[in-house]
Amino acid sequence: MQFSERLGKLAPYPFVEISRIIAAKRAAGADVVTFGIGDPDIPTPQPIIDRLLTASQYPPNHRYPETDGLPEMRRAIAEWYDNRFGVKLDPDTEVLPLIGAKEGIGHAAFCFLDPGDIALVPDPAYPVYGVGTMFAGAESYIMPLYERNGWLPELDAIPADVARAAKVMWLNYPNNPTSAVATEEDLASAMAFCRENDIALLHDAAYSEVGYDGYRAVSYMQMDGAKEIGIEFHSLSKTYNMTGWRIGMAVGNADMIKALFQIKANLDSGVPQAVQEMAMEALTGPQDCVDDNVRTYQWRRDRVVQACRSAGMEVDVPRASLYIWAKVPGGFTSAEFAQRLLEDLDVVVTPGSSYGRYGEGYIRLSLTTPDEQVEKGCQRIEGWSIPAPQGG
């Protein structure tokens, strides 16, 4: 039996491998602390669950949902964007519910890219941007993200011929994995570059609601002219602890939203309607749970930063997102250092190289672990004498 060439191009998805390692260690009796996957440990708020329980009893919700979602769901998304960002959206043409942001991001490549086309993809980055590009038969032109530039793409380093040929640019702020943030000026510069070169700008804003010390992320949709060339992907996963319910949204340019709808209509059957009702409760109900989440994550952020620094790792204090992006000590690769943490401490982190070539030299620690586990992991890291690299 022969499989497609694209299957052979796929590297193991890093989070699947992390889950396998954790399961194997625990099966062997290890007391594993994981800072690996960004999956909130805090339960979905009870009013949202209650809405699901009620909605699940409604017979029409037992049938196939429509790809474009319930009209009330699209209105709730538009209302949330207006309340949060002051952005006006037409719920009928500029909003599309998704089966999680990841689904929409993966499908987006098929809207814009044909074989041989070019996508501008950041590195390090969420792997799906590049994987979707590859599935569409297109090529990723890597935009390296460097600490020296605040983990923002250096647009003037993109060759003019590549810029003219590119069809899409992916951005993600607040950023996974680096936790970097972008200002309005940063997003406006990217938008101007894309407009000049006729590039669709696709912004992943899944972490906009996890901001610390009073920081509030901006939306790409707030930029004047944003709808002319771009769409933004968002998710309820991190904001409302709803990773398991799989619901997100794309908003922005009406033609681009229509294109994504056309792809989805042929490949999936939409978000289950009872889950859409959950989302409506989340988006339109009290938002206290969001502030509660941030308070929890901020304590974890401070504790993990303290532990990493105590162990001799260089790390900046992030203003947003669920991750600590720490520089590994000299002499180690990212994978080697992650392996030593696992072998010596039973602590799981993600090597920065899992997010691309330019993530080498860093590890990512997720804050989506219960407080007592965070404390246990931090104590292990603080009490660790970092070994010399092999051969050192």
Side-chain angles (χ1 to χ4, degrees), residues 113-149:
L113 300 170
D114 290 314
D117 284 343
I118 294 174
L120 302 176
V121 177
D123 180 338
Y126 186 43
V128 183
Y129 312 140
V131 169
T133 299
M134 183 271 289
F135 279 165
E139 301 294 328
S140 293
Y141 179 87
I142 297 302
M143 301 186 295
L145 306 184
Y146 297 110
E147 184 177 10
R148 69 186 185 219
N149 199 44

Coordinates of all heavy atoms in Angstrom, one line a residue, residues 113-149:
L113 N -4.1 29.2 -1.6 CA -2.9 28.7 -2.1 C -3.1 27.6 -3.1 O -3.9 26.6 -2.8 CB -2.0 28.2 -1.0 CG -1.6 29.3 0.0 CD1 -0.9 28.6 1.2 CD2 -0.7 30.3 -0.6
D114 N -2.4 27.6 -4.2 CA -2.4 26.5 -5.2 C -1.0 26.0 -5.2 O 0.0 26.6 -4.7 CB -2.7 27.0 -6.6 CG -4.2 27.4 -6.7 OD1 -5.0 26.6 -6.3 OD2 -4.5 28.5 -7.3
P115 N -0.8 24.8 -5.8 CA 0.6 24.2 -5.8 C 1.6 25.2 -6.4 O 1.3 25.8 -7.4 CB 0.4 23.0 -6.7 CG -1.0 22.5 -6.4 CD -1.8 23.8 -6.3
G116 N 2.7 25.3 -5.7 CA 3.8 26.2 -6.2 C 3.7 27.6 -5.6 O 4.6 28.4 -5.8
D117 N 2.5 28.0 -5.0 CA 2.4 29.4 -4.4 C 3.2 29.5 -3.2 O 3.7 28.5 -2.6 CB 0.9 29.6 -4.1 CG 0.1 30.0 -5.3 OD1 0.7 30.3 -6.4 OD2 -1.2 29.9 -5.2
I118 N 3.4 30.7 -2.7 CA 4.2 31.0 -1.5 C 3.4 31.6 -0.4 O 2.6 32.5 -0.6 CB 5.3 32.0 -1.9 CG1 6.3 31.3 -2.9 CG2 6.1 32.4 -0.7 CD1 7.4 32.3 -3.4
A119 N 3.6 31.1 0.8 CA 3.0 31.6 2.0 C 4.2 32.1 2.9 O 5.2 31.5 3.0 CB 2.2 30.6 2.8
L120 N 4.0 33.3 3.5 CA 5.0 33.8 4.4 C 4.6 33.3 5.8 O 3.6 33.7 6.3 CB 5.0 35.4 4.4 CG 5.3 36.0 3.0 CD1 5.1 37.5 3.1 CD2 6.6 35.6 2.5
V121 N 5.5 32.5 6.3 CA 5.2 31.8 7.6 C 6.3 32.1 8.6 O 7.5 32.0 8.4 CB 5.2 30.3 7.3 CG1 5.0 29.5 8.6 CG2 4.1 29.9 6.3
P122 N 5.9 32.6 9.8 CA 6.9 32.9 10.8 C 7.5 31.6 11.4 O 7.0 30.5 11.3 CB 6.1 33.6 11.9 CG 4.7 33.1 11.7 CD 4.5 32.8 10.3
D123 N 8.7 31.8 12.0 CA 9.4 30.7 12.6 C 10.3 31.3 13.7 O 11.1 32.2 13.5 CB 10.3 30.0 11.6 CG 11.2 28.8 12.1 OD1 11.4 28.8 13.3 OD2 11.6 28.0 11.3
P124 N 10.1 30.8 15.0 CA 9.2 29.7 15.5 C 7.7 30.1 15.4 O 7.4 31.3 15.5 CB 9.7 29.5 16.9 CG 10.2 30.9 17.3 CD 10.8 31.5 16.1
A125 N 6.9 29.1 15.3 CA 5.5 29.3 15.2 C 4.7 28.0 15.4 O 5.2 26.9 15.4 CB 5.1 29.8 13.7
Y126 N 3.4 28.2 15.7 CA 2.4 27.2 15.7 C 2.5 26.3 14.5 O 2.5 26.9 13.3 CB 1.0 27.8 15.9 CG -0.1 26.9 16.1 CD1 -0.1 25.8 17.0 CD2 -1.4 27.1 15.4 CE1 -1.2 25.0 17.2 CE2 -2.5 26.3 15.7 CZ -2.4 25.3 16.5 OH -3.5 24.5 16.8
P127 N 2.7 25.0 14.5 CA 3.1 24.2 13.4 C 2.0 24.2 12.3 O 2.3 24.0 11.1 CB 3.3 22.8 13.9 CG 3.6 23.0 15.4 CD 2.8 24.2 15.8
V128 N 0.8 24.5 12.6 CA -0.3 24.3 11.6 C -0.2 25.3 10.4 O -0.7 25.0 9.3 CB -1.7 24.4 12.3 CG1 -2.8 24.2 11.3 CG2 -1.8 23.4 13.4
Y129 N 0.4 26.5 10.6 CA 0.5 27.4 9.5 C 1.3 26.8 8.4 O 0.9 26.9 7.2 CB 1.3 28.7 10.0 CG 0.8 29.4 11.2 CD1 1.6 29.9 12.1 CD2 -0.6 29.4 11.5 CE1 1.2 30.5 13.3 CE2 -1.1 30.0 12.7 CZ -0.2 30.6 13.6 OH -0.6 31.1 14.7
G130 N 2.4 26.2 8.7 CA 3.3 25.5 7.7 C 2.7 24.2 7.2 O 2.8 23.9 6.0
V131 N 2.1 23.5 8.1 CA 1.5 22.2 7.7 C 0.3 22.4 6.7 O 0.2 21.7 5.7 CB 1.0 21.4 8.9 CG1 0.2 20.2 8.5 CG2 2.2 20.9 9.7
G132 N -0.5 23.4 7.0 CA -1.6 23.7 6.0 C -1.1 24.1 4.7 O -1.6 23.7 3.6
T133 N 0.0 24.9 4.7 CA 0.6 25.4 3.4 C 1.1 24.2 2.6 O 0.8 24.1 1.4 CB 1.8 26.3 3.8 OG1 1.3 27.5 4.4 CG2 2.5 26.7 2.5
M134 N 1.7 23.2 3.3 CA 2.2 22.0 2.7 C 1.1 21.2 2.1 O 1.1 20.7 1.0 CB 3.1 21.2 3.6 CG 3.7 20.0 3.0 SD 2.7 18.5 3.1 CE 2.8 18.2 4.9
F135 N 0.0 21.0 2.9 CA -1.2 20.3 2.4 C -1.7 20.8 1.1 O -2.2 20.1 0.3 CB -2.2 20.2 3.5 CG -2.0 19.2 4.5 CD1 -2.7 19.2 5.7 CD2 -1.1 18.2 4.4 CE1 -2.6 18.3 6.7 CE2 -0.9 17.2 5.4 CZ -1.6 17.3 6.6
A136 N -1.7 22.2 1.0 CA -2.2 22.8 -0.2 C -1.2 22.7 -1.4 O -1.5 23.2 -2.5 CB -2.5 24.3 0.1
G137 N -0.1 22.1 -1.2 CA 0.9 22.0 -2.2 C 1.8 23.3 -2.4 O 2.5 23.4 -3.4
A138 N 1.7 24.2 -1.5 CA 2.4 25.5 -1.6 C 3.7 25.4 -0.8 O 4.0 24.4 -0.2 CB 1.5 26.6 -1.2
E139 N 4.5 26.5 -0.9 CA 5.8 26.5 -0.3 C 5.7 27.6 0.8 O 5.2 28.7 0.6 CB 6.9 26.9 -1.3 CG 7.0 25.9 -2.4 CD 7.5 24.5 -2.0 OE1 8.3 24.5 -1.0 OE2 7.1 23.5 -2.6
S140 N 6.4 27.3 1.9 CA 6.5 28.3 3.0 C 7.8 29.0 2.9 O 8.9 28.4 2.8 CB 6.5 27.6 4.4 OG 5.3 27.0 4.7
Y141 N 7.7 30.3 2.8 CA 8.9 31.2 2.9 C 9.0 31.6 4.4 O 8.1 32.3 4.9 CB 8.9 32.4 2.0 CG 10.1 33.3 2.1 CD1 11.2 33.0 1.4 CD2 10.1 34.3 3.1 CE1 12.4 33.8 1.5 CE2 11.3 35.1 3.2 CZ 12.4 34.8 2.4 OH 13.5 35.5 2.6
I142 N 10.1 31.2 5.0 CA 10.2 31.4 6.4 C 10.6 32.8 6.8 O 11.5 33.4 6.2 CB 11.2 30.4 7.0 CG1 10.8 29.0 6.8 CG2 11.5 30.7 8.5 CD1 9.4 28.6 7.5
M143 N 9.8 33.4 7.7 CA 10.1 34.7 8.2 C 10.7 34.5 9.6 O 10.0 34.2 10.6 CB 8.9 35.6 8.4 CG 8.2 35.9 7.1 SD 6.8 37.1 7.3 CE 5.7 36.2 8.4
P144 N 12.0 34.5 9.8 CA 12.6 34.2 11.1 C 12.2 35.3 12.1 O 12.1 36.5 11.8 CB 14.1 34.3 10.8 CG 14.3 34.2 9.4 CD 13.1 34.8 8.8
L145 N 11.9 34.8 13.3 CA 11.6 35.7 14.4 C 12.8 35.7 15.4 O 13.2 34.6 15.8 CB 10.3 35.3 15.2 CG 9.0 35.1 14.4 CD1 7.9 34.7 15.3 CD2 8.7 36.3 13.5
Y146 N 13.3 36.9 15.7 CA 14.5 37.0 16.5 C 14.2 37.7 17.8 O 13.4 38.7 17.8 CB 15.6 37.7 15.8 CG 16.1 37.0 14.5 CD1 15.9 37.5 13.3 CD2 16.9 35.8 14.6 CE1 16.3 36.9 12.1 CE2 17.3 35.1 13.5 CZ 17.1 35.7 12.2 OH 17.6 35.1 11.1
E147 N 14.9 37.4 18.9 CA 14.7 38.1 20.1 C 15.1 39.6 19.9 O 14.5 40.5 20.5 CB 15.6 37.5 21.2 CG 15.5 38.1 22.5 CD 16.4 37.4 23.6 OE1 17.2 36.5 23.2 OE2 16.2 37.7 24.8
R148 N 16.1 39.8 19.1 CA 16.6 41.2 18.9 C 15.5 42.1 18.3 O 15.6 43.3 18.5 CB 17.8 41.2 17.9 CG 17.4 40.8 16.5 CD 18.6 40.7 15.6 NE 18.2 40.4 14.2 CZ 18.9 39.6 13.4 NH1 19.9 38.9 13.8 NH2 18.4 39.4 12.2
N149 N 14.5 41.5 17.7 CA 13.4 42.3 17.1 C 12.1 42.1 17.8 O 11.0 42.3 17.2 CB 13.3 41.9 15.6 CG 12.5 43.0 14.8 OD1 12.8 44.2 15.0 ND2 11.6 42.6 13.9

